[in-house]
Amino acid sequence: GTKYATSMENLFYNCTLLEDVVFNSDTTLTSDSQYRFDISRNQSFKNMFYGCTSLLTIDFSNALYKDASGLTSTTLEGMFQGCSQLQSVAFPAWFDCPENTSTASMFNGCSSITSIDISPFLTNNITSFASMFSGCINLVDIVRPESPNTQNVKNTSSMFANCYKLPNQDLFVFNTQNVTDMSSMFMNCTAMTNIDATQFVVSNVTTMNSMFNGCRNLVEVDLSTWTLKSGVTTVSMFAND
């Protein structure tokens, strides 16, 4: 079993013929069962399914994940990166992200997926969203936690880059008070027409290079509440719009 596993890094790395993964869904099994998929001690999901180019579905909604209090850090970096045929992912109903969690490039290059549900995530300890959805060219819907706490996030660079079909987003859910890098955050988001970023606190941001570069259908961007710090770089921020 996986009860004592502390890392699943690269577990299915480049398993290019893998199509479907369903972790044990028998909810009658006890937490002590050797057959129950237990990820409560896992500290790394980094590149777990990286490059699984034939993978269509992943379901670990019944995986045991009840207590993250013993973890000091977790990475979800590149977990599904390059899964170009991925169509659906089901997470456990409660998915705590302990201290210093990174979701950088988690879904990077998942070019077939249209909807991603991350509503089970407890986000208060996530530090990086960099390239999280970058290259999800068919993504039209992100189901987020109802009241996400993103106060510890420092990096949102390329978070939605090349999400060509992603429509206007409600950005009022983001707490950006500690973000320093917003470069290319919405680059080539060609379906977005209006962006209200008045809720963004940008006082600590040092780079916004290419933040809206390539958003060629953008009609209105409301930045009226922004006060930029001295020295912030904005190279090509609105280029090719």
Side-chain angles (χ1 to χ4, degrees), residues 4 17 47 49 55 65 68 96 98 109 113 133 144-145 162 164 173-174 181 184 190 193 195 197 203-204 235:
Y4 298 104
L17 299 180
N47 298 332
F49 298 98
L55 189 61
Y65 197 90
D96 191 8
I113 202 163
F133 305 105
R144 295 174 299 210
N162 301 315
Y164 302 141
V173 298
F174 283 107
D181 189 348
S184 304
T190 53
T193 57
I195 295 178
S203 54
N204 287 310
V235 177

Side-chain angles (χ1 to χ4, degrees), residues 143-212:
V143 183
R144 295 174 299 210
E146 185 174 342
S147 300
N149 181 347
T150 59
Q151 65 178 8
N152 288 310
V153 174
K154 296 182 175 69
N155 192 339
T156 60
S157 63
S158 299
M159 184 176 180
F160 303 106
N162 301 315
C163 291
Y164 302 141
K165 297 183 179 180
L166 193 66
N168 301 332
Q169 294 293 296
D170 178 8
L171 302 178
F172 283 82
V173 298
F174 283 107
N175 181 336
T176 61
Q177 65 183 23
N178 288 310
V179 174
T180 60
D181 189 348
M182 288 185 175
S183 58
S184 304
M185 185 175 180
F186 300 100
M187 187 174 71
N188 293 328
C189 287
T190 53
M192 290 188 182
T193 57
N194 294 276
I195 295 178
D196 183 350
T198 54
Q199 189 70 13
F200 276 15
V201 177
V202 296
S203 54
N204 287 310
V205 177
T206 58
T207 177
M208 293 179 174
N209 295 343
S210 297
M211 186 173 180
F212 303 102

Side-chain angles (χ1 to χ4, degrees), residues 43-81:
Q43 295 183 35
S44 178
F45 294 97
K46 185 176 183 179
N47 298 332
M48 186 175 180
F49 298 98
Y50 183 102
C52 294
T53 52
S54 298
L55 189 61
L56 299 173
T57 61
I58 303 171
D59 184 354
F60 52 105
S61 56
N62 287 311
L64 187 67
Y65 197 90
K66 292 184 177 179
D67 182 11
S69 60
L71 302 185
T72 56
S73 63
T74 292
T75 179
L76 302 170
E77 291 181 6
M79 188 174 182
F80 308 108
Q81 186 168 354

Side-chain angles (χ1 to χ4, degrees), residues 20-25 57-63 88-91:
D20 298 286
V21 178
V22 180
F23 294 109
N24 203 313
S25 57
T57 61
I58 303 171
D59 184 354
F60 52 105
S61 56
N62 287 311
S88 67
V89 181
F91 293 102

